[in-house]
Amino acid sequence: MERNIIIVDDDVQTSQLIQVMLQVLGCESTVFNHPKDFLQHTLEAGDVVLLDLVMPEIDGIEVLRTLAKTNCPAKLILLSGYDKAVLHSAEELGRAHDLNVVASLRKPIQMRDLQRVLISGRRLLVCEQTKTSRLPQFTKTQFEFALRNQQIELHYQPQVDLSNGLLVGVEALARWNHPDYGLLMPAQFITLAEQSDLIIPFTAEVVRLAIDQSQRWNAKGFCPRMSLNISADNITSLALPEQLSEMLASKEMSGMNLMLEVTESTLMGELLTSLDTLTRLRMKGFGLSIDDFGTGYSSLSQLHRVPFNELKIDQSFVQTMERDADSRAIVKTCIRLGHELGMEVVAEGVENEAILSILSDFKCDIAQGFLFGKAMPADELHQWAENGKSAALISRHCVA
Ligand code: C2E
Ligand code: MG
Ligand code: MG
């Protein structure tokens, strides 16, 4: 392995042990037994720091605070003998400081855990490097041009009914087909759209594309439900329900089965306006889904107040539920909660058959993830729906 890894731990024996493990994994490492010495060291992008939380002079939390002030570019992996809850809070704290905390490890450290976090940390690193070195920072004018020149496309990801393996719906996910850089993912442009006033025309374009595609599919007798992602500014615009109804009516698609996905954090803004818009959307017959559930800050009473009919459990819990008992408990509880509140529950990020089996045991309604298919162009999605592979997967794992 190519990178230098920095170990910050007051315990000499522990740091030596970690150093030996890293050697076995092919990594060079540098040890600091005094956090003060470590804080004198200049960190570079690409450095990986294994930071102990409990040290006598300056503890790891203080080190995190100091690193935040220096805009630390390194990847951080936290270490501690405390239980997972403490490590998890420390990770959250680091991220709240805008630090790049990639993982945490419980002491005594196991070789396989160290290897796992280093591999995922490195993958993050590679992704970021290719992202930043290849792509420029796009401007509002460039995105405006893209919108005007039909460079925005939708790809569709299947959502599968766990009771029979049939396609229930598709989630439309935006892509920017850039003439020089190829297909760009939402992470590369949604924030730009949201931070400028372009999110309103962008969402209008997404709705237009989705309606047109539905019309083309319907003509072939293919009518999956369509889920669209809606941003906070769309929700605080009181005109949204009428605009959507009018767009559908003008294309004679008033009966289209449309589900609007909003994230939990969207609801933190102007709750009264959001509530007004969301309630009228439901009254006009649109479905409402709460996306990335579990990662935001909505209180349970908020969940009850807004008329959602679908709950999408965030993929961070779904992807880890196979090996992490806490994630499993969260997923199970979210499914119960959704059902008790009369909602259908979707699990996002279903990547393997073991996860599928657990979701089926937990009586989850719908699954979406790479196991079934990635977001794909419209024609591919239609072919996917016809090949029936998802039904075979479900019959193997989800027998009632
Ligand atoms: P989201 O709405 O939570 O969409 C799910 C994201 O997870 C998609 O990423 C999807 O490709 C990815 N995903 C699905 N299954 C798996 C899996 O099994 N494993 C993994 N690793 N990932 C999976 P994508 O397309 O990059 O979209 C990211 C986010 O961008 C979306 O998250 C949504 O918040 C936002 N977005 C996408 N299209 C739109 C849009 O038209 N409008 C708005 N406002 N936001 C959009
Ligand atoms: Mg979504
Ligand atoms: Mg999501």
Side-chain angles (χ1 to χ4, degrees), residues 157 159 171-173 227-230 260-263 289-292 310 312 348 368:
Q157 190 176 27
Q159 298 180 322
E171 178 172 6
L173 293 155
S227 293
L228 298 180
N229 293 282
I230 301 290
L260 303 171
E261 298 191 359
V262 295
T263 57
S289 173
I290 184 157
D291 201 357
D292 301 344
E310 182 184 270
K312 287 185 91 170
E348 235 180 347
Q368 177 180 347

Side-chain angles (χ1 to χ4, degrees), residues 309-361:
N309 37 6
E310 182 184 270
L311 183 153
K312 287 185 91 170
I313 309 172
D314 190 68
Q315 45 183 293
S316 59
F317 304 115
V318 176
Q319 280 165 0
T320 51
M321 67 193 278
E322 201 190 336
R323 55 176 190 274
D324 184 318
D326 288 355
S327 296
R328 216 160 34 243
I330 290 171
V331 171
K332 191 175 185 180
T333 309
C334 286
I335 295 171
R336 277 273 312 262
L337 177 69
H339 287 165
E340 296 278 331
L341 293 175
M343 296 188 247
E344 280 208 304
V345 181
V346 182
E348 235 180 347
V350 180
E351 291 189 350
N352 62 48
E353 300 189 21
I355 295 177
L356 181 64
S357 285
I358 308 174
L359 287 169
S360 168
D361 288 347

